[in-house]
Amino acid sequence: MKNYYKTLGLNKNATIEEIKKAYRKLAFVYHPDHNKSENASFYFREITEAYEILKDSEKRKIYDEIFLGNNSKQVEERMNNWQNQAKKKATEYSEMDYDAFKNNLMNELALVAKHSGNFGCLIFIIFGFLLSFYMLIKSLIEKNETLVGGMILNIVVYSILVIWLYPKFTQNYKNDRKNIKKR
């Protein structure tokens, strides 16, 4: 199996930000329209394939399991599927002219930045829910009836916010991704 970490010049403990940064750096260097060496297209496809697997936490977890030898037949099949999708995307990107590729990548990054505030808001709400749940348990143990009522109210409010906002935020993100891909 290919060592995707080595392909991107990273260690296994690399953060998602380090993975993205390494990919951008290498992709701009090895894009076939930009780099005329005979191996540029091959290297570009290799780094794009590695990036497509490592940028996704689920795919990365399964890749790590396979890479370490802790896997099942079903896990290997999923990874093979993802690798084929990554290779397809790598080929698509390598055939794109450099400016179109650069614009596509920059648009994707802008999209993530645009929606990170929404997801940060969701994380804050989920944290509030968990904190309220903790405080509810604590107030039940301490038999503080006043606090119990307030915590139940908090939990209800936070639950409503998550149920209402999560689908809205994720749908907006998906719609924006579709619009970028149409360009």
Side-chain angles (χ1 to χ4, degrees):
M1 170 167 282
K2 295 177 186 177
N3 185 335
Y4 290 146
Y5 295 104
K6 186 176 178 182
T7 301
L8 294 176
L10 300 168
N11 66 41
K12 188 182 175 316
N13 299 324
T15 66
I16 191 66
E17 283 307 312
E18 291 169 330
I19 291 167
K20 289 177 181 180
K21 186 176 180 179
Y23 173 70
R24 284 191 304 263
K25 179 181 170 188
L26 293 169
F28 289 141
V29 169
Y30 286 104
H31 190 279
D33 259 11
H34 187 69
N35 185 325
K36 299 302 179 190
S37 70
E38 71 181 53
N39 292 333
S41 182
F42 169 78
Y43 289 130
F44 180 81
R45 287 193 305 271
E46 291 290 306
I47 60 174
T48 301
E49 179 183 334
Y51 174 69
E52 288 298 315
I53 299 301
L54 296 181
K55 75 175 183 177
D56 182 291
S57 59
E58 180 185 3
K59 292 176 186 177
R60 182 179 180 182
K61 180 180 177 221
I62 289 177
Y63 169 79
D64 288 344
E65 286 178 19
I66 292 172
F67 198 68
L68 295 172
N70 308 333
N71 57 316
S72 67
K73 182 76 172 158
Q74 185 180 18
V75 167
E76 283 185 33
E77 287 175 10
R78 286 179 74 191
M79 180 54 68
N80 286 336
N81 238 359
W82 291 334
Q83 285 176 318
N84 289 334
Q85 291 171 359
K87 286 176 185 176
K88 182 179 176 186
K89 189 172 236 179
T91 300
E92 176 189 327
Y93 281 176
S94 71
E95 293 171 354
M96 220 181 252
D97 82 24
Y98 180 75
D99 289 333
F101 167 74
K102 185 177 178 180
N103 286 336
N104 189 10
L105 188 58
M106 298 312 276
N107 286 336
E108 291 246 354
L109 294 171
L111 175 68
V112 169
K114 174 183 172 187
H115 289 280
S116 64
N118 290 343
F119 291 114
C121 177
L122 277 176
I123 290 169
F124 180 75
I125 291 169
I126 291 168
F127 177 75
F129 171 84
L130 293 172
L131 184 61
S132 295
F133 189 74
Y134 168 77
M135 293 298 293
L136 173 64
I137 300 298
K138 185 177 177 186
S139 61
L140 285 170
I141 291 169
E142 294 174 354
K143 298 181 180 168
N144 183 342
E145 294 170 5
T146 307
L147 195 55
V148 169
M151 290 305 107
I152 290 173
L153 181 61
N154 278 353
I155 290 170
V156 169
V157 169
Y158 283 123
S159 297
I160 290 169
L161 284 171
V162 169
I163 291 167
W164 177 57
L165 292 175
Y166 180 77
K168 182 178 178 180
F169 288 166
T170 54
Q171 190 58 50
N172 287 344
Y173 180 73
K174 287 176 185 176
N175 290 341
D176 282 353
R177 280 190 61 88
K178 285 179 188 174
N179 289 337
I180 284 177
K181 289 182 180 184
K182 288 178 185 177
R183 292 180 200 165

